Amino acid sequence: MKTTFLLSILAVLLLSSCGPTLTPFTQQVYEQGNFNDGELKRIQFYLSDDIVLRRELTGGRTRVVQGEIKIVNGRKVEQVVIPRGTPGTVVLQPGGNRLAVSFEQSDEQYLVFGPNPTMGDRYTLLASDQRPRFSIVTYGGKKWRVDRDDSYATLMVDLEKANSVAVRSRTAQGRTID
């Protein structure tokens, strides 16, 4: 009985050590990594928490490409859910220390993240407008509402893999004339 219990604990420890250990992506990680644009695009980012994007659809024809339509308080609302743990990649750097990260196949559908001083300089979702209960973000060229709590979603990274991206280098052997 005791041996079975110990083997079970050992198996759990071994299996849990196989997966990536995700760490919040912070300004300090960004500066220490000294990542260039190409390196940032090769780092796999993950989302710390769910983000739910909502926008009210106006009358007339509506065309929904991704997401779903819901009826909320008698209004048609388009909604896109990006679940916690969703992998994403950097598609561009809009300036400064901001990163545009796409969690979909289209480079046009991205969210912008940047260091948040109130959260230890973690890269959190950036909004164009902050209100008491929600924030406004741009996604796919359209304005969307995000609940206030969702705006604290953080970019996560497997630090070991991110550091290996920056360390990859080689030395040219030179070329001589025959």
Side-chain angles (χ1 to χ4, degrees):
M1 183 81 157
K2 195 175 198 179
T3 305
T4 306
F5 178 71
L6 290 174
L7 287 174
S8 297
I9 290 179
L10 182 61
V12 168
L13 289 174
L14 286 174
L15 289 175
S16 65
S17 65
C18 294
T21 303
L22 299 180
T23 305
F25 190 74
T26 63
Q27 185 62 28
Q28 181 181 6
V29 170
Y30 178 79
E31 289 170 1
Q32 286 178 346
N34 197 25
F35 303 112
N36 64 34
D37 286 347
E39 291 168 338
L40 280 170
K41 290 182 178 184
R42 292 195 330 257
I43 295 173
Q44 184 68 69
F45 290 93
Y46 300 90
L47 202 52
S48 69
D49 297 291
D50 294 352
I51 295 178
V52 179
L53 306 167
R54 288 187 184 96
R55 69 184 190 98
E56 190 172 327
L57 299 174
T58 57
R61 283 184 66 171
T62 58
R63 182 171 166 255
V64 178
V65 178
Q66 298 267 330
E68 58 187 59
I69 296 179
K70 294 187 172 257
I71 305 296
V72 178
N73 294 330
R75 299 177 183 165
K76 279 198 248 183
V77 176
E78 182 179 2
Q79 175 175 290
V80 175
V81 178
I82 306 170
R84 172 186 183 188
T86 301
T89 58
V90 172
V91 291
L92 62 100
Q93 283 188 271
N97 47 6
R98 297 181 301 160
L99 302 177
V101 178
S102 177
F103 298 95
E104 299 198 44
Q105 296 303 313
S106 168
D107 286 355
E108 303 302 315
Q109 294 173 306
Y110 59 81
L111 294 169
V112 179
F113 293 81
N116 184 335
T118 63
M119 293 187 64
D121 280 337
R122 292 179 180 195
Y123 273 62
T124 59
L125 183 61
L126 295 178
S128 59
D129 187 12
Q130 298 279 349
R131 308 262 173 100
R133 294 186 339 187
F134 64 90
S135 300
I136 304 291
V137 297
T138 302
Y139 185 74
K142 298 175 182 152
K143 299 289 185 188
W144 297 77
R145 288 173 72 154
V146 177
D147 287 342
R148 188 74 169 162
D149 291 341
D150 291 0
S151 65
Y152 293 111
T154 302
L155 286 180
M156 305 293 283
V157 67
D158 183 342
L159 201 51
E160 187 174 305
K161 284 186 179 180
N163 286 335
S164 71
V165 167
V167 171
R168 288 184 188 160
S169 68
R170 63 181 186 84
T171 304
Q173 299 300 315
R175 181 176 172 176
T176 59
I177 299 175
D178 293 327

